[in-house]
Amino acid sequence: MEQAIFEERRDQIHRKGEGPFELACNRDSLAGAVSQRACVFCGSRVVLYPIADALHLVHGPIGCAVYTWDIRGALSSGPELHRLSFSTDLQEKDVIFGGEKKLKAALLELIERHKPNAAFVYATCIVGIIGDDVGAVCRDVAQQTGIPVIPVQSEGFKGNKREGYAAACKAMFTLAGTGDTSGISPVSVNILGDFNLAGEIWIIREYFKRMGVEVVANITGDGRVADIKRCHGAALNVVQCSGATMELAQMMQEKFGTPFLRVSYLGIEDMADSLYAVADHFKDRDPGIVERTQALVREELSRLLPELHKYRQDLEGKKVAVYVGGAFKAFSLIKAFRHLGMKVVLVGSQTGTKEDYEELAAICDPGTVIVDDSNPLELSKFVKELDVDLFVGGVKERPIAHKLGVGFCDHNHERKEALEGFVGMLNFAKEVHASATSPIWRFVPRREAMAKARETRTAKRAAGGEGI
């Protein structure tokens, strides 16, 4: 273990039960460590990209625009402008003489061609270096076209992914409060921090509908500019990915007085608790909402639990490593794996806060390794050391799992299978079962060697030897 950890990163790794819990986090990644964490620009795009009827223009070199092409499973029920990739493609000449004219020309052409309801312009590293006044160009184009043209101050070098979340929230906040709120129910919510991966936000909206709750705005999965403009009329914000959109919820509470709840739609307990929390918030306005919510949860669990029991029989005792983007996912995953009889032995995230990790440590089993902003060297070492059966992560972790002969479950933004809600828990169990119990792992050299070692120990014990 010692050789796999950079000296500068020792305070970002903790094994529960070995001394007091202290974990450094939310700091710039270590140079040369091939960090799993992304830049400010990436963070802003993660949040804003699913707004389907807006134009998303990257002001910078063409390389940055690679990140925009269909990187998420964020589905739309209507327009799909968000799935197109646009860039000003800054060249050497633009770096020397400035790219403002090129930006304005690109915006005018794209707005004329695609007729978006708003435009987001993302400033990249090079734009911050050469000093283009993106805000001034956006104001000029907005005045000419009559639609909101919003600068996103997402220069990559300003910090890490969390800074990008903040830039995205500030951009969206310029829209909030500008739309008509007439006709909005007093029992209404905005869904914050869900990006409609594989259509998940439609599952959650259906639950709210059955409870009698109106959803005003999806922020940002399957999002619409007009809904964000009137989102201040909702009675409550429910915030799932606390890192990505918590700042927007806080700004709305300060300016419009909109309260918010932190929720999670992953796993049985968190899904049920989230629905009950919303019902409890509105019970004075709608006395029947608690009873409807209880009926909804009972109905869903009556279908789900017998199915989970079937999968648990094969999965009992298997070990899991979890490394995800936001720490909120890790909380829910630990609980979900306990329903399947599996044990999480390694858990971490790219963007967790001190409070997140303290909460994470409280629900982990003794001996669990907790990491922040880990790198492939560390992850590989721990996966082998802890004899993991399943690795849950994103696209960057998949090669690690496959090279080490470990089952893999995609729980990041590229996934095409809905994992939220009660039906999502069943989908999750099916995927975990298929990955962890695949017969292919019998032929992995590492597994084969470990199986032989266990047989040898068993034989020694039977013969009266040490066999330890």
Side-chain angles (χ1 to χ4, degrees):
M1 170 178 166
E2 300 298 321
Q3 295 178 350
I5 299 174
F6 293 102
E7 188 64 35
E8 298 91 331
R9 282 195 37 79
R10 292 185 181 279
D11 58 355
Q12 286 177 273
I13 300 169
H14 178 80
R15 198 182 295 261
K16 185 175 178 179
E18 297 184 1
F21 181 74
E22 292 183 7
L23 194 73
C25 59
N26 198 28
R27 66 187 189 189
D28 291 345
S29 299
L30 179 65
V34 194
S35 168
Q36 308 296 84
R37 184 181 288 165
C39 68
V40 179
F41 166 67
C42 166
S44 67
R45 290 287 292 157
V46 161
V47 176
L48 294 174
Y49 161 83
I51 302 175
D53 61 346
L55 175 75
H56 300 273
L57 175 62
V58 180
H59 186 38
I62 195 63
C64 294
V66 157
Y67 191 76
T68 69
W69 175 244
D70 209 18
I71 58 159
R72 278 182 170 265
L75 303 183
S76 170
S77 58
E80 294 197 344
L81 184 56
H82 67 305
R83 297 187 69 181
L84 300 182
S85 182
F86 301 110
S87 169
T88 51
D89 186 21
L90 293 184
Q91 302 291 315
E92 183 177 354
K93 177 181 175 182
D94 305 309
V95 173
I96 296 171
F97 296 104
E100 292 179 13
K101 290 182 180 180
K102 195 172 190 179
L103 173 60
K104 182 176 180 179
L107 279 169
L108 292 174
E109 178 183 342
L110 290 169
I111 291 171
E112 173 63 25
R113 179 178 301 178
H114 294 283
K115 304 294 190 296
N117 291 320
F120 292 97
V121 179
Y122 302 82
T124 57
C125 288
I126 195 66
V127 172
I129 292 172
I130 66 177
D132 277 358
D133 193 340
V134 176
V137 174
C138 289
R139 287 191 296 272
D140 188 14
V141 174
Q143 190 172 23
Q144 288 188 49
T145 61
I147 69 166
V149 181
I150 305 163
V152 184
Q153 301 304 145
S154 53
E155 296 87 349
F157 57 73
K158 293 199 304 185
N160 56 43
K161 193 175 183 180
R162 292 186 67 87
E163 296 295 324
Y165 294 160
C169 288
K170 290 171 183 175
M172 283 190 288
F173 192 60
T174 64
L175 291 172
T178 62
D180 181 14
T181 60
S182 58
I184 295 178
S185 168
V187 182
S188 56
V189 300
N190 297 313
I191 299 177
L192 273 66
D194 192 293
F195 306 120
N196 202 35
L197 309 183
E200 290 173 335
I201 209 167
W202 300 331
I203 296 172
I204 307 306
R205 285 179 65 102
E206 178 62 23
Y207 291 160
F208 283 138
K209 182 180 179 180
R210 289 163 63 182
M211 292 167 59
V213 178
E214 177 187 353
V215 177
V216 178
N218 302 334
I219 303 176
T220 55
D222 196 18
R224 301 291 185 272
V225 173
D227 292 339
I228 298 174
K229 286 182 176 181
R230 66 196 297 262
C231 68
H232 61 294
L236 176 69
N237 283 327
V238 286
V239 187
Q240 180 172 217
C241 184
S242 58
T245 54
M246 180 58 75
E247 186 164 336
L248 178 61
Q250 292 170 339
M251 289 189 289
M252 289 183 66
Q253 183 178 54
E254 184 177 341
K255 183 173 181 179
F256 305 116
T258 310
F260 64 85
L261 294 174
R262 289 186 63 178
V263 299
S264 173
Y265 311 128
L266 300 167
I268 297 174
E269 291 100 331
D270 286 352
M271 183 68 256
D273 288 346
S274 297
L275 296 181
Y276 285 137
V278 172
D280 187 63
H281 180 84
F282 288 120
K283 64 184 180 182
D284 293 336
R285 303 182 190 183
D286 182 355
I289 192 171
V290 174
E291 186 176 344
R292 290 194 298 272
T293 305
Q294 290 172 339
L296 184 161
V297 173
R298 280 196 300 269
E299 180 182 344
E300 295 294 330
L301 290 183
S302 68
R303 291 195 295 260
L304 172 63
L305 293 179
E307 294 296 320
L308 290 187
H309 179 70
K310 299 176 185 176
Y311 293 113
R312 178 170 180 140
Q313 295 177 26
D314 292 334
L315 296 172
E316 190 88 41
K318 292 188 179 296
K319 292 185 282 187
V320 185
V322 174
Y323 187 75
V324 286
F328 87 102
K329 294 180 189 176
F331 304 146
S332 299
L333 284 168
I334 290 173
K335 299 173 188 176
F337 278 119
R338 283 175 179 159
H339 275 288
L340 297 175
M342 303 174 77
K343 182 179 180 181
V344 174
V345 294
L346 168 67
V347 62
S349 80
Q350 297 176 24
T351 59
T353 64
K354 182 175 182 292
E355 293 74 22
D356 289 336
Y357 287 123
E358 288 174 350
E359 186 176 344
L360 198 58
I363 66 173
C364 286
D365 295 325
T368 303
V369 176
I370 303 171
V371 296
D372 171 73
D373 187 29
S374 195
N375 58 67
L377 183 66
E378 293 170 357
L379 293 173
S380 299
K381 175 61 179 176
F382 287 127
V383 166
K384 289 187 287 186
E385 176 192 329
L386 300 169
D387 188 23
V388 167
D389 297 290
L390 182 75
F391 196 160
V392 180
V395 66
K396 289 177 286 189
E397 291 76 48
R398 186 190 303 273
I400 298 173
H402 287 173
K403 288 178 180 179
L404 295 178
V406 173
F408 181 78
C409 178
D410 187 349
H411 210 285
N412 213 335
H413 53 231
E414 297 86 5
R415 70 176 184 263
K416 301 298 185 289
E417 189 76 54
L419 301 180
E420 289 182 7
F422 300 107
V423 66
M425 179 63 192
L426 181 57
N427 292 338
F428 179 63
K430 289 178 180 177
E431 183 173 345
V432 166
H433 183 270
S435 298
T437 64
S438 172
I440 193 66
W441 306 127
R442 300 177 199 164
F443 306 104
V444 174
R446 182 175 65 88
R447 295 284 175 180
E448 194 175 63
M450 292 174 65
K452 289 181 178 178
R454 283 193 294 268
E455 290 175 3
T456 301
R457 287 196 297 270
T458 301
K460 285 185 176 179
R461 283 195 294 267
E466 296 181 1
I468 298 175

